[in-house]
Amino acid sequence: MDVRYQPQSVEEKWQRRWREADTFAVGEDASRPKYYVLEMFPYPSGRIHMGHVRNYTIGDVVARYKRMRGFNVLHPMGWDAFGMPAENAAIQHGVHPSKWTRENIAYMKGQLQRMGFSYDWSRELATCDPSYYRWEQWLFLKMLEQDLVYRRETAVNWCDTCQTVLANEQVEQGACWRCGDVVVEKELPGWFFRITRYADELLDWTDRLPGWPPQVLTMQRNWIGKSVGAEVAFPLDGRDGEIRVFTTRPDTLYGVTFMSLAAEHPLVPELVRGTGREAEVLAFVDRVRRQDKAERTADDYEKEGVFTGAYCVNQLTGERVPIYVANFVLMEYGTGAVMAVPAHDQRDFEFARRYDLPVTVVIEPDGGSLDPAAMTEAYVAPGRMVRSGPFDGLPNRDGIERVIAYLEERGFGKRAVHYRLRDWGISRQRYWGAPIPVIHCPACGVVPVPEADLPVVLPEDVAFPEGRVLPLAEIPEFYETSCPRCTGPARRETDTMDTFVESSWYFARYACADFQAGMLDRARTEYWMPVDQYIGGIEHAVLHLLYSRFYTKVLRDLGLVAVDEPFTNLLTQGMVCMETQRCPEHGWLLPDEVADGACTRCGAPAEAGRVEKMSKSKKNVVDPEGLVARYGADTARLFSLFAAPPEKDLEWSEEGVEGAYRFLRRVWRLVADHRDWLPGTEPFAGGAPDGPARDLRRKVHDTIRRVTADIEERFHFNTAIAAAMELLNALAGFSPADEPGRQAFREGVEALLKVLHPMVPHITEELWEILGEQTPLADTPWPGWDEAALVRDEITVVVQVNGKVRGRVQVPAGADGGAVRAVAEADPNVARHLEGKTVVKAVYVPGRLLNLVVR
């Protein structure tokens, strides 16, 4: 045994062993309980980062721990391989998206293997492979048959210079991120999934997922956004037509003083035609439509609007209501029209004050009154209805139902339920994605591609002009085809699918990744699904997780899976953060560009910034490859687990990494220092050792108990590691002078290696083998603890006087309150605080605390 810890050679050895033995390949086994642990699969961007290391290490600890607990563990890995970054790389570096992606996959796979993650690589998949996306094309056709897919016109961001559609994140202050020219909204036909058909079930199940973080469930409920209220008609004044609004506050209808329309509302051009305000309104509409939609609805965003010159009628009051176009109203929410009640809505109040619009109070606090002219903010608390016709005097909450009934009686409106959730638009006018399997025929219309012709393969032998990746609409060899019905000339659909489609079912495909006879093997998915533990970032709390839940319900209804939900438990790990450094001349600096507080390029003092999420743009990043090359994968794993609980942000610390490495060196040295006799010594197997050996065994079994609870119940790996560190200290300070002592020491070393194995598998496997063990730790059961070993002859009791700690005393484990009090009062420090006082009450918490109340 090398007395020095050499992580590189140790890790290479065990990674080779695991690979050659297919240690982590699994199959269905009805005789064993299954456990499916999964981390969100990565986009193959080229290199793993510390966020990957943390995420995948957490999953690997869970997988290895459950394996040692006797579970049949599925722990797969694959690649979310379609998407814009590959096209951007093609433009920037002149490399084909396919080549860029597959080279990155190969490199990142090597990096993950170098970390020692226990993946079943036989199930590896990449979403850009036709063998994968053929089945989502097949499912698209099945959903089309079930009326779960439809096509309609939709607004997209369009750059005329680049002749391409842009995602919202590619529009920067109304301009194209690539060329800087103005981006416009353009109506294009697109494909949609009817996720709204499942809105109620998706909402209901948020109350049946106790293993999910409450904040994620809240975000999903808000995204679905079920609202109960009324749909109300406001006829246009002096012309045909009406504006319909949805409101959850029909109790405020008598206070409507203006109407707000979204800039995108189709009625706007008609309303302004011939009014003399057409140019002004349409210029405002054009400007607003280029603004970021999320910013438009923010509370602190400046409220702007323009009068259309048109009016509608509030049928409850008979009053004419001016119609405005407002920047804070979006077409995607409700009906794209909002009845404005400035007295009782803050946003409407601010708008009314800015444009000098009337404020009509229709709810007042009990026993009080409101003067609209004196109001400085909207009144939004409960109260009684006023100036509301037949509803005057009613508590406004009671008035809601009464007003809805009144609307329905007179045909002015109706009870309604609205959802914030909108159908999922899956069309992307790009190249690097899964083709949508339909054909457009001039004679037959939209024709599904026959199942026998799947997959519709994305052409990967296309040569692109410099600086562009052609969308499929510009690749005739792809879109020119014949109609499968009439055989006449036809055109393939040239949209590709949103990449969220691929990530919405990959977890089910892992259960049967080699299955070729269909999308999923029902028997194998019934064994493995649902995922028992899913792990990923909070940034995926809504879209990815919501789409995955929707897709699972569709798969269930088509008979492909037997589960209602894909993920039983969800862990959203925190970010990896690091202090930023900036040079006045050279901008953001990498960590190795700062030495002794100065920029290494110019010598200027480096300005320390905030601790922020690691990002390439701010250069506060650490390369995992360099970390592993210097310290080894086990050190990188240990640091990422020990520095913070998994759900909290982790702050990078070079000192923390050094500390993790020193700890592993101490573990190595513990075995190396006793290598002459440890392999030939059996672990303690029975009896009752005395003295230090007994104390050591108590520590050993207490450590097993604590680590088990920390992993099993809370995933608090940091405190589990802290318990192992305490055990290492106890072992290092123990002198095994006799055979019972050596056996207790051997038992302690074995326990230390076992409880550390899920976190640092390479070093523990090596030391386990040095102990003379033939079965690898990966195949060794998790240790149990001996309750008898935990029994103490004496316990420590904290003594308080009037609630303040004044001492700690040792008493027999079975001592009652009177005996403990006698020992406590004999303690010199306690006695000093009792001198001249009378004990009026003694409160004893058995085994822990004695509080003496004196006066």
Side-chain angles (χ1 to χ4, degrees), residues 375-496:
M375 292 174 69
T376 58
E377 62 181 4
Y379 178 74
V380 296
R384 54 185 170 79
M385 297 177 68
V386 297
R387 301 177 191 86
S388 298
F391 307 103
D392 281 356
L394 272 179
N396 73 295
R397 295 303 181 196
D398 297 340
I400 290 175
E401 285 298 318
R402 296 277 293 275
V403 172
I404 292 175
Y406 188 80
L407 293 170
E408 291 184 325
E409 287 171 11
R410 285 157 178 72
F412 297 164
K414 62 182 180 180
R415 188 180 312 276
V417 176
H418 273 221
Y419 297 88
R420 183 177 184 270
L421 179 68
R422 292 292 180 262
D423 283 335
W424 175 8
I426 67 158
S427 283
R428 299 295 181 268
Q429 294 75 27
R430 294 192 178 82
Y431 166 76
W432 191 237
I436 294 175
V438 297
I439 291 170
H440 301 279
C441 173
C444 305
V446 175
V447 181
V449 171
E451 289 182 23
D453 294 343
L454 297 180
V456 177
V457 178
L458 183 73
E460 296 191 15
D461 57 353
V462 180
F464 296 126
E466 185 176 351
R468 281 198 70 200
V469 173
L470 300 178
L472 292 179
E474 296 183 39
I475 305 176
E477 55 268 39
F478 172 79
Y479 64 71
E480 291 177 351
T481 188
S482 57
C483 175
R485 285 184 186 164
C486 69
T487 71
R491 181 184 177 95
R492 289 193 186 279
E493 173 62 64
T494 54
D495 286 354
T496 54

Side-chain angles (χ1 to χ4, degrees), residues 29-89:
D29 184 350
S31 68
R32 299 168 62 199
K34 69 91 179 179
Y35 194 88
Y36 184 178
V37 58
L38 181 65
E39 307 94 60
M40 295 178 185
F41 65 169
Y43 183 81
S45 57
R47 299 289 186 273
I48 67 171
H49 51 67
M50 285 306 299
H52 289 129
V53 170
R54 188 183 193 199
N55 185 11
Y56 302 149
T57 299
I58 291 169
D60 198 53
V61 173
V62 177
R64 288 177 178 273
Y65 169 76
K66 290 294 184 179
R67 179 184 173 90
M68 295 178 76
R69 293 304 300 260
F71 287 86
N72 191 29
V73 175
L74 174 59
H75 187 208
M77 177 49 70
W79 312 95
D80 190 9
F82 275 138
M84 286 191 303
E87 293 194 12
N88 296 341

Side-chain angles (χ1 to χ4, degrees), residues 122-125 131 508-516 524:
S122 70
R123 298 171 186 264
E124 179 185 13
L125 57 82
S131 61
R509 183 65 181 175
Y510 278 142
C512 51
D514 60 349
F515 188 61
Q516 298 301 318
R524 292 162 74 185

Side-chain angles (χ1 to χ4, degrees), residues 439-664:
I439 291 170
H440 301 279
C441 173
C444 305
V446 175
V447 181
V449 171
E451 289 182 23
D453 294 343
L454 297 180
V456 177
V457 178
L458 183 73
E460 296 191 15
D461 57 353
V462 180
F464 296 126
E466 185 176 351
R468 281 198 70 200
V469 173
L470 300 178
L472 292 179
E474 296 183 39
I475 305 176
E477 55 268 39
F478 172 79
Y479 64 71
E480 291 177 351
T481 188
S482 57
C483 175
R485 285 184 186 164
C486 69
T487 71
R491 181 184 177 95
R492 289 193 186 279
E493 173 62 64
T494 54
D495 286 354
T496 54
M497 293 195 212
D498 179 6
T499 56
F500 276 120
V501 176
E502 284 87 61
S503 61
S504 293
W505 70 283
Y506 77 107
F507 43 85
R509 183 65 181 175
Y510 278 142
C512 51
D514 60 349
F515 188 61
Q516 298 301 318
M519 184 178 189
L520 297 171
D521 182 339
R522 173 66 183 248
R524 292 162 74 185
T525 59
E526 281 191 15
Y527 178 82
W528 288 113
M529 291 289 292
V531 176
D532 295 283
Q533 183 64 60
Y534 199 37
I535 302 167
I538 191 71
E539 66 271 18
H540 300 294
V542 176
L543 294 183
H544 163 59
L545 291 170
L546 189 66
Y547 292 156
S548 297
R549 296 180 59 219
F550 160 65
Y551 230 64
T552 298
K553 296 176 190 302
V554 172
L555 293 172
R556 176 203 61 195
D557 291 348
L558 292 172
L560 295 171
V561 299
V563 298
D564 296 300
E565 290 284 338
F567 315 119
T568 302
N569 298 292
L570 173 68
L571 171 65
T572 52
Q573 90 281 353
M575 298 181 294
V576 180
C577 305
M578 187 178 184
E579 184 181 66
T580 55
Q581 298 278 348
R582 189 177 180 89
C583 171
E585 180 178 350
H586 296 104
W588 300 110
L589 300 174
L590 291 165
D592 59 7
E593 292 178 324
V594 179
D596 298 324
C599 173
T600 57
R601 297 164 66 183
C602 66
E607 302 167 0
R610 295 185 303 168
V611 175
E612 300 183 49
K613 176 186 176 182
M614 285 188 175
S615 69
K616 293 179 182 178
S617 62
K618 294 188 177 180
K619 296 188 176 182
N620 60 332
V621 293
V622 173
D623 179 13
E625 281 195 325
L627 184 66
V628 171
R630 183 176 179 185
Y631 296 104
D634 280 340
T635 293
R637 293 169 61 115
L638 188 69
F639 169 75
S640 69
L641 295 167
F642 185 58
E647 71 278 6
K648 303 293 186 182
D649 288 350
L650 179 158
E651 184 176 344
W652 174 263
S653 162
E654 192 70 35
E655 294 78 13
V657 174
E658 289 280 0
Y661 183 60
R662 284 196 302 271
F663 170 72
L664 294 181

Side-chain angles (χ1 to χ4, degrees), residues 39 69 90 129 219 281 294 304 458 545 632 699 728 739 801:
E39 307 94 60
R69 293 304 300 260
D129 288 340
M219 292 167 74
V281 172
E304 291 185 277
L458 183 73
L545 291 170
K699 187 65 176 179
L728 174 63
E739 188 61 19
V801 177

